[in-house]
């Protein structure tokens, strides 16, 4: 067995999307979006998101249209948007489907059931939201959803925030 210094599945630099490479240079928050419908749960790690202040406030996100979360969110019309911190790297990877989660990622931590979906215990902040775009538009290879913020829970802000940049996590 030989261990190589570069990623075995990474395309050559000349074949990589310049738009994706531009996006990868933007530090993005690491959020966990969850929802529940008909006794089932779905979640997805989302870093392509924006929070807009206002009355009401909003969260705009770009979701994988083939994800379980996107499908279930369109049915449930509610979601929890949680901000992840340093202790949640493995959770982010599990919900991003890049790391194993024996028994499923919902078994990795404790959850509080809310009217918007399951909220992870131990995060610095989460928002209970309702979907405002019944038929979300496609943007690039994603679906752009807009959620109205109905409820916000803020915990102590003593955990470094998790951000994603160039395929890696960092904290600030």
């Amino acid at each position: 067995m030989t261990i190589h210094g570069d990623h075995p599945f990474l395309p050559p630099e000349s074949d990589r999307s310049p738009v994706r490479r531009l996006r990868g240079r933007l530090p993005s928050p690491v959020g966990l979006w969850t929802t529940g419908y008909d006794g089932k749960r779905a979640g997805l790690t989302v870093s392509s998101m924006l929070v807009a202040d206002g009355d009401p406030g909003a969260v705009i996100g770009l979701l994988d249209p083939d994800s379980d979360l996107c499908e279930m969110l369109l049915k449930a019309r509610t979601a929890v948007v949680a901000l992840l911190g340093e202790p949640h790297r493995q959770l982010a990877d599990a919900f991003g489907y890049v790391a194993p989660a024996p028994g499923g990622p919902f078994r990795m931590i404790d959850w509080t059931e809310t009217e918007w979906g399951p909220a992870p215990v131990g995060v610095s902040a989460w928002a209970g939201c309702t979907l405002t775009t019944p038929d979300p538009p496609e943007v690039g290879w994603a679906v752009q959803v807009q959620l109205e913020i109905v409820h916000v829970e803020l915990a102590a802000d003593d955990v470094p925030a998790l951000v994603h940049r160039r395929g890696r996590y960092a904290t600030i």
Side-chain angles (χ1 to χ4, degrees), residues 65-157:
D66 296 326
S67 68
D68 292 341
L69 174 81
C70 190
E71 180 181 333
M72 194 175 293
L73 175 61
L74 294 176
K75 293 176 186 174
R77 306 193 53 74
T78 60
V80 169
V81 175
L83 301 179
L84 301 184
E86 170 64 30
H88 306 114
R89 288 175 184 243
Q90 288 182 316
L91 187 67
D93 280 346
F95 275 100
Y97 300 100
V98 295
F106 281 101
R107 293 183 169 259
M108 295 179 71
I109 62 169
D110 292 327
W111 299 86
T112 300
E113 287 301 322
T114 74
E115 61 187 276
W116 305 280
V121 172
V123 296
S124 64
W126 64 267
C129 304
T130 58
L131 183 67
T132 61
T133 48
D135 190 21
E138 291 184 14
V139 177
W141 289 331
V143 172
Q144 178 186 316
V145 296
Q146 182 172 326
L147 305 174
E148 179 181 319
I149 299 172
V150 179
H151 177 82
V152 175
E153 292 278 331
L154 301 172
D157 196 20

